[in-house]
Amino acid sequence: MTQSAGTPEAATPSVTTSAGTASSPARLADDTAHGKTTIAASVVQKIAGIAAREISGVHSMGGGVSRAFGAIRERIPGGGTGAANIAGVAVEVGEKQAAVDLDLVVEYGASIVELARAVRRNVITAVERMTGLEVIEVNIAVNDIHLPDVDAPAEPPAVASARVE
């Protein structure tokens, strides 16, 4: 292993896990005389996704394409499990640090700036508390705004009188 400018080279390269990647090698989170603990990047990805969805004002996650693929995947038997289901969440995990990228759809009327702060704070707190990894950044991309009138069901058609009695 080589060293440059006095900093040791990382023993293992960082891993990027996106919504479309199911493989996630484990990373070192704790190494003691009694053993070591590793946490898979997909675990960090799930924690970040759940923490982001906990914030009021987040309608859904992922861009239009990833949401469409997610809906299709849920209908396929066995397709509803694994890291590939975390639409809108990408993580980069090292041995001691993690970075998170989120794609959000927010509810109309929510302050995007305040929502982003709350999501960022909740994701950092959850990932650091549950994994012990230092979260160095949480990047948030707001891809869409959910309008409540768009998803409201249309008025049911008036019931016509029965033609056959």
Side-chain angles (χ1 to χ4, degrees), residues 8-162:
E9 189 178 285
T12 54
S14 62
V15 171
T16 300
T17 305
S18 66
T21 305
S23 65
S24 56
R27 292 287 167 217
L28 178 66
D30 189 21
D31 194 3
T32 67
H34 299 292
K36 67 180 180 178
T37 303
T38 56
I39 300 170
S42 62
V43 172
V44 176
Q45 189 180 22
K46 286 180 182 181
I47 292 168
I50 292 168
R53 285 185 199 98
E54 288 176 344
I55 302 301
S56 177
V58 174
H59 175 70
S60 62
M61 300 189 60
V65 174
S66 67
R67 288 195 317 265
F69 282 129
I72 292 168
R73 220 180 6 253
E74 287 176 5
R75 293 187 179 121
I76 298 170
T81 59
N85 259 357
I86 314 299
V89 182
V91 299
E92 198 171 323
V93 180
E95 290 191 17
K96 296 182 176 155
Q97 296 177 325
V100 180
D101 295 325
L102 302 170
D103 293 327
L104 304 178
V105 176
V106 301
E107 295 286 346
Y108 177 77
S111 167
I112 295 173
V113 173
E114 290 176 19
L115 179 70
R117 280 189 197 126
V119 167
R120 189 172 285 114
R121 184 174 41 248
N122 204 43
V123 168
I124 290 170
T125 300
V127 171
E128 287 183 348
R129 180 180 54 82
M130 294 179 72
T131 66
L133 294 168
E134 175 191 9
V135 178
I136 57 171
E137 65 181 13
V138 176
N139 298 311
I140 298 172
V142 177
N143 292 320
D144 201 358
I145 294 179
H146 175 257
L147 301 172
D149 296 334
V150 173
D151 288 341
E155 290 292 320
V159 178
S161 61

